[in-house]
Amino acid sequence: MSPKVANAAPFMPKGSNPADVSWIAVRHETATPPVPQDHHIPEWAPPEVPEFVPHTFDSMHLGDPTTNTSLNPYDPFVTSTTPLSSAGNPNQPQINPYAQESATNSNTAFYQGQSGYAQPLQYHLYAPIGPHRENLLAYQRTAHDFFISDNLREELQRKSEASLQVLPSKIATPQLDSGKDMKSILSKKIDSTLPAQIDHFHSLVPLDITNQKSAAFFEYPSWVYKVVSSKDGNTYALRRLEGYRLTNERAIRAIQAWKRVSSGNVVTIHDAFTTRAFGDSSLVFVTDYHPLSKTLAEQHLNSVNRYSARPTGAHVPEQVLWSYMVQIASALKTIHGAGLAARSIDASKILVTSKNRIRLNACGVFDVLHHERSQIGMPELQLDDLTQFGRLLLLISSNNPAGLNNMPKTMELLSRHYTSHLKDCVVWLLGPTQAQSHKSLDNFISAISGHIMTVFDNTLHLDDQLNTDLSRELENARLVRLMSKLNFINERPEFDHDRQWAETGERYFLKLFRDYVFHQVDAQGNPVIDLAHVLLCLNKLDAGIDERVSLVSRDEQNLFIISYKELKRGVEAAFQDLSKSARRV
């Protein structure tokens, strides 16, 4: 070999960086002595052959630390801290080799997803959402895991039934006696004096558990009704004060301030008006309706012995009392912050809407009945709320409706069954206002801050549980839509003047798939009723997976092996044909 050829300059492509061929220069130094090199780089040099370097190889071992080794952000074996948008050359977009639709790939024939059926991204298949209380394995899950719990479902259905309840127009007497003929079995109309409509409210249903009039609390007989609004169709509760005559227009305007009170522990007030629809002059308050709710008196004070008014039920747990205390304090914080006073903290006026969830009810009624006093002594009324608060806690802890009649005995029971901290809070609320000039709701909230954190933590756990139950019902509508599409297609007598439309093409496969899912039988010919099998097959069809299924005709003469992806493509194509025909009409 000629010495000129051996000492020839290393080849470098046009426009490349001289630093990229530093490893070539090092190789030539070990072979021949260095010779003066021309700075002019020839344009006829062949492309360099890159040396293999593992991805985990540190760049400091390379010949030149300035060598630009850009990483492919789509490489699954490389962990790059550089964002995809800034990896490599920022002026040149990165090519994703895993993309089915790539505008930069010239060989589009190898990418089948461009013109064929495109599977949309799916967010379903009942992904479990934590936190999970049960420690169950995958094979231990049952069909009930796809739905909310039976207790929660029953509770919601009972509340829905109570919201839709109406008064029957007739009651048939079911007594049948052999000595009476059929003429004696008559239907009696309900002797109801309730009006058919009050303002824009209709379908009145009484909610009181007794027919006796009582004016002990509001100084007027009070009645509560469930009604339906003809404006928005929602259900509300009407509190009627019988025989009230409005003498000052400003009194009823005081309810406007209560409309702005927003608290999770206060029943929302929507309106107040007077009416003569009941045959007299009545004052009506419109509030939210909470179905199947009870008062604190019905919840804790009804288990009483007929002798000496001794309670027969167990004492209220202290954790429940702390929960009530925190919720009432939260309600009073919102009410006092709005410059108002509750004035109705009584066991018969506080609703228990769910487990240990209470709401102050009938707020704002005394602001209308005693409007003049509300304008003068609001600070004194707010301090009186604290006293009523303490009396309520003492009454509930004693579990006795007559517990306030013997205060020393009730305080002794409180000290015996509950901690000293709870007793100190009750004593502080019942203390005289003159001796405690610094008595305020903020001081009380600071004293029970530790229990507020406990109640808040329990609320977060309940929120997690409700989210888990809601996630089970998240995608149930998918299966309803899928079964609706299948029923639109299967067994259709005629379409587009073709009586065999449902029996040909992919529609025939869908008919066999319907038999595979719903019409299976066992070895004895008995129907197989398996909800888990139905849910599994419909979910696979909705996802359009590549799994194959064997479909046998009813005469057992034909066997088809087809994937769920092809079945889904058939469902979509057949339903699109039906939809296009409906739109043309």
Side-chain angles (χ1 to χ4, degrees), residues 328-338 382-383 386 389 428-429 438-450 452:
I328 296 176
S330 175
L332 292 180
K333 178 66 175 179
T334 304
I335 294 174
H336 293 180
Q382 292 180 352
L383 291 177
L386 300 181
F389 189 7
W428 186 88
L429 291 172
H438 60 283
K439 186 176 182 179
S440 65
L441 182 62
D442 292 335
N443 295 334
F444 178 75
I445 293 176
S446 300
I448 64 172
S449 58
I452 293 177

Side-chain angles (χ1 to χ4, degrees), residues 161-417:
E161 181 183 5
S163 300
L164 299 176
Q165 183 182 8
V166 295
L167 283 178
S169 58
K170 295 182 180 180
I171 297 182
T173 56
Q175 292 83 3
L176 296 178
D177 193 353
S178 58
K180 296 182 181 180
D181 54 1
M182 295 300 295
K183 294 183 180 180
S184 62
I185 303 176
L186 303 175
S187 297
K188 298 181 181 180
K189 292 186 177 180
I190 293 180
D191 186 13
S192 176
T193 58
L194 296 179
Q197 186 169 354
I198 302 175
D199 198 17
H200 59 276
F201 301 102
H202 60 88
S203 303
L204 276 73
V205 177
L207 298 180
D208 298 281
I209 60 177
T210 178
N211 295 330
Q212 299 178 359
K213 290 185 178 181
S214 177
F217 194 80
F218 292 117
E219 303 175 0
Y220 294 91
S222 176
W223 309 95
V224 183
Y225 306 94
K226 178 186 73 70
V227 296
V228 179
S229 173
S230 58
K231 288 185 177 180
D232 53 14
N234 295 331
T235 306
Y236 296 93
L238 295 187
R239 178 175 295 275
R240 170 199 171 201
L241 299 184
E242 182 181 347
Y244 175 80
R245 293 183 179 274
L246 184 64
T247 59
N248 188 356
E249 289 291 339
R250 295 182 178 179
I252 203 169
R253 294 177 186 174
I255 210 66
Q256 298 297 327
W258 283 99
K259 293 182 180 180
R260 297 187 292 268
V261 175
S262 178
S263 174
N265 297 111
V266 178
V267 178
T268 304
I269 301 177
H270 295 278
D271 198 6
F273 56 90
T274 57
T275 181
R276 292 185 176 272
F278 293 95
D280 60 356
S281 179
S282 299
L283 176 63
V284 176
F285 295 87
V286 183
T287 63
D288 280 341
Y289 171 65
H290 297 277
L292 300 183
S293 58
K294 296 181 180 181
T295 63
L296 278 179
E298 298 171 359
Q299 185 77 8
H300 299 292
L301 303 179
N302 277 349
S303 301
V304 179
N305 195 338
R306 58 184 299 180
Y307 301 104
S308 303
R310 293 181 179 179
T312 58
H315 289 279
V316 181
E318 183 171 351
Q319 185 178 4
V320 176
L321 278 180
W322 282 115
S323 177
Y324 291 165
M325 190 182 303
V326 171
Q327 294 180 68
I328 296 176
S330 175
L332 292 180
K333 178 66 175 179
T334 304
I335 294 174
H336 293 180
L340 302 170
R343 306 176 66 180
S344 58
I345 306 178
D346 188 81
S348 62
K349 298 299 178 290
I350 298 180
L351 298 182
V352 183
T353 57
S354 59
K355 184 178 180 180
N356 298 337
R357 175 68 184 276
I358 62 175
R359 301 173 192 263
L360 300 187
N361 194 20
C363 296
V365 175
F366 285 108
D367 290 351
V368 179
L369 298 180
H370 306 289
H371 177 66
E372 293 78 8
R373 182 184 176 185
S374 302
Q375 297 297 321
I376 298 175
M378 185 57 66
E380 290 77 8
L381 294 177
Q382 292 180 352
L383 291 177
D384 185 64
D385 283 346
L386 300 181
T387 303
Q388 294 184 18
F389 189 7
R391 293 171 63 88
L392 173 68
L393 294 176
L394 190 61
L395 180 64
I396 298 300
S397 63
S398 66
N399 199 20
N400 189 350
L404 298 179
N405 297 334
N406 190 354
M407 294 290 290
K409 183 67 175 179
T410 305
M411 292 298 297
E412 181 183 354
L413 293 176
L414 181 65
S415 304
R416 184 185 307 171
H417 295 94

Side-chain angles (χ1 to χ4, degrees), residues 91-152:
N91 299 325
Q92 181 179 0
Q94 291 288 342
I95 300 176
N96 183 5
Y98 303 99
Q100 297 296 324
E101 302 287 344
S102 178
T104 58
N105 291 327
S106 58
N107 299 326
T108 57
F110 294 97
Y111 296 91
Q112 304 295 332
Q114 293 185 356
S115 59
Y117 174 74
Q119 173 67 32
L121 193 63
Q122 302 291 335
Y123 298 95
H124 57 277
L125 298 181
Y126 299 97
I129 299 179
H132 307 284
R133 302 299 179 191
E134 302 85 2
N135 188 16
L136 298 179
L137 299 178
Y139 66 89
Q140 294 176 324
R141 298 187 61 192
T142 61
H144 298 283
D145 293 334
F146 295 109
F147 309 101
I148 61 178
S149 62
D150 294 337
N151 294 333
L152 180 58

